[in-house]
Amino acid sequence: MIAAAARRPRRTRPRSAVAILVAACVVAVGILATGTAATAASTPGQRALAWANARVGTPYVWGGASDSGYDCSGLVMRAYESVGISLAHQSASQFRETANHPVSAGNLKPGDLMFYGSSAGSIYHVGIFAYYRDGQAWMIDAPHSGVPVGYHERYVDFYAATRPAGGTGVAPPSRPTISAPASVLADHAVTLTGTTSAGAHVRIWSALTNGTDNRLFQTVTATSNGRWSYSVRLLHNRLFTASSSGGDSRTLRVRAIWPLVINAPATSPEGKSFYLWGHITDYARVSIYGAAGTGTGGYRRLTTVTAAGNGNWAYRASIRRTWRFYATAEGQSSKVRQTNVLRYPTLEAPQAVVIGAGTHLAGSATSLSTVKVYFKRGSGPWGVAGTSRADAARGWSMGARQRAQVHAYATAVGLRSPVALIRYIYRPTITAPATVGGKGTISVSGTGPAGWTMTLRSAVSGSHSFTTVRTAMATSSGHWQMSVDQGRSRQYYVTVLGVNSRVVSSTITA
């Protein structure tokens, strides 16, 4: 059966209604000549053809199976019904019913059925072979709406022929099948196998699962029993299809399973983000888990990412202490990777140190790491002033001795602290009257580093509660002087850059 207009068969060249009627008359004469009446036909096929010949000119009616109108399969069904052979009223079904008696295109006999379509599963039209003319097969069929039953030359999309009344011939091409394992270890061979017509050429097509890189991999020849096989090394997930003269097989998906790999930096500076990265099967979903510390538990899922088409994946992490990581995907678990957070070292140094006195340096760094302290005078080169080792609590300290202003910084595990300036100065001095006759203003003076602010601090005699009284800047010669209103006996000292002078007393005697 064929729809009235939706699937109109294609012809090798157009034929006018006049030409069709002329061809019908020629064939009618050839078949029904003197002594060859329908009842005298010697084979069931010839008798079925004679029956159809008597319906030439009957209108096409979709679904029709009577002399008021026929469609393609209705005409065939009634023609063979007239010789005692029952066929379905549907062209594809008629092919399946008669496929066990195939006939080659060059060995057709009157009454053989000619089927049209691109494959056994897409047959849409059928006709009854009548004769060869100029090497071309002609048939009686009911083509489509508007064209009556008549004789027509074979259409270009001829697929196969069968002989309903029995006989032998060349089998129509078989649609190929394809099978393979659902998955294979990546970079290993996978073997594709299938069946098709004996000796047929089978083309193996393949594409990546996203539809790109579609290409012909190989052409193989089926054996005498119709079997074929092909092996290929698989690096990525791929789609495979086999094609031959019998059509295309189903599309098969084969996964290339790569082992799941996770990488993480062994160390990372605190406060800096870094990447976890790895490899797995193309487009796989990767779940990443993490836990703080160096234990074995406490994991939680951090995120899920999708691998790229080349199987690579990455995730940006930011942590402030040591963490452990692992990933899962495709039923696999990766190894555990640990990233140790490195602490930036700090350097706690005095602003100034009394010349000749030792310098105490301290700070923090990554636990149990080696700390080096570098000094530089002016524009000179950096040199190692000393080394220390951070304890488990990350603290470190060391002593140094210097007699000039220096810049300093500390390093540990490849990280460095900010640069500090350490000034080496003489201890400031202070002078105040030891006794005064009564309340009033006294003068306090002394020396200190030139150009720096001197801070005078005072407390009542016998007290340790010193408070700031006044400030003054030392002159270019390093001298300073301040006037203070003193209403009772007091103690004084000055401080500059964290360095203190000695304490002096001024006692009121009256």
Side-chain angles (χ1 to χ4, degrees), residues 22-379:
V22 170
C25 292
V26 171
V27 175
V29 170
I31 294 178
L32 302 178
T34 303
T36 58
T39 56
S42 60
T43 68
Q46 290 173 334
R47 295 197 301 272
L49 177 62
W51 185 94
N53 177 75
R55 274 73 188 170
V56 170
T58 302
Y60 176 93
V61 174
W62 185 82
S66 69
D67 286 348
S68 61
Y70 293 95
D71 65 6
C72 65
S73 58
L75 179 69
V76 169
M77 179 184 71
R78 295 302 185 206
Y80 271 93
E81 183 180 76
S82 72
V83 297
I85 296 176
S86 178
L87 296 176
H89 190 178
Q90 206 271 340
S91 56
S93 297
Q94 290 173 354
F95 174 76
R96 289 193 294 270
E97 291 169 338
T98 61
N100 59 333
H101 296 298
V103 185
S104 66
N107 194 34
L108 296 172
K109 301 294 184 183
D112 290 345
L113 300 185
M114 301 175 67
F115 294 94
Y116 295 86
S118 60
S119 66
S122 62
I123 288 173
Y124 70 93
H125 187 62
V126 63
I128 303 173
F129 173 74
Y131 60 89
Y132 288 106
R133 182 177 181 183
D134 297 329
Q136 291 297 319
W138 283 68
M139 64 182 177
I140 294 178
D141 69 332
H144 54 80
S145 179
V147 178
V149 174
Y151 286 83
H152 301 100
E153 190 177 348
R154 186 182 78 172
Y155 307 139
V156 295
D157 52 354
F158 170 74
Y159 174 69
T162 64
R163 186 165 294 158
T168 59
V170 177
S174 299
R175 182 179 183 180
T177 65
I178 187 171
S179 61
S183 62
V184 65
L185 290 178
D187 205 22
H188 285 66
V190 60
T191 300
L192 309 169
T193 60
T195 60
T196 187
S197 301
H201 296 300
V202 180
R203 295 176 297 278
I204 314 299
W205 294 86
S206 181
L208 294 176
T209 52
N210 64 356
T212 62
D213 191 33
N214 187 24
R215 54 194 170 100
L216 177 64
F217 261 33
Q218 185 62 275
T219 299
V220 299
T221 302
T223 62
S224 58
N225 62 2
R227 297 187 179 278
W228 64 267
S229 66
Y230 172 62
S231 295
V232 59
R233 189 172 294 276
L234 211 60
L235 297 177
H236 304 286
N237 297 338
R238 298 198 74 92
L239 304 174
F240 290 96
T241 304
S243 65
S244 71
S245 57
D248 295 337
S249 71
R250 67 190 178 101
T251 298
L252 197 66
R253 183 173 189 243
V254 182
R255 295 179 63 77
I257 304 298
W258 287 91
L260 175 58
V261 175
I262 185 173
N263 298 290
T267 59
S268 177
E270 61 181 338
K272 297 290 186 180
S273 61
F274 59 88
Y275 280 97
L276 304 172
W277 75 101
H279 191 84
I280 185 59
T281 305
D282 307 354
Y283 306 110
R285 295 282 289 170
V286 181
S287 294
I288 303 169
Y289 295 82
T294 58
T296 57
Y299 286 97
R300 61 184 178 87
R301 188 168 68 178
L302 303 178
T303 190
T304 299
V305 298
T306 301
N310 58 6
N312 293 332
W313 61 268
Y315 168 63
R316 188 173 184 177
S318 180
I319 57 176
R320 302 194 67 83
R321 55 179 297 191
T322 296
W323 270 69
R324 291 160 285 129
F325 304 96
Y326 77 91
T328 63
E330 302 284 313
Q332 304 180 60
S333 291
S334 72
K335 294 181 177 179
V336 174
R337 301 296 185 187
Q338 180 171 301
T339 299
N340 297 313
V341 172
L342 304 180
R343 185 180 181 86
Y344 277 95
T346 62
L347 172 63
E348 299 167 8
Q351 284 186 299
V353 178
V354 175
I355 292 176
T359 305
H360 181 76
L361 305 174
S364 63
T366 301
S367 299
L368 307 180
S369 63
T370 298
V371 180
K372 290 185 178 181
V373 177
Y374 290 81
F375 277 3
K376 182 182 78 166
R377 293 184 182 180
S379 60

Side-chain angles (χ1 to χ4, degrees), residues 428-435 442-446 456-463 466 480 486 489-494 501-507:
T429 64
I430 184 171
T431 301
T435 60
I442 65 171
S443 177
V444 181
S445 61
L456 178 66
R457 294 178 62 80
S458 175
V460 175
S461 295
S463 170
F466 283 87
W480 61 269
Q486 180 172 287
S489 298
R490 301 190 71 85
Q491 307 172 85
Y492 300 97
Y493 75 87
V494 289
S501 70
R502 66 186 181 89
V503 177
V504 296
S505 298
S506 180
T507 305

Side-chain angles (χ1 to χ4, degrees), residues 459-476:
V460 175
S461 295
S463 170
H464 298 287
S465 299
F466 283 87
T467 58
T468 298
V469 177
R470 292 192 60 186
T471 61
M473 182 178 293
T475 65
S476 58

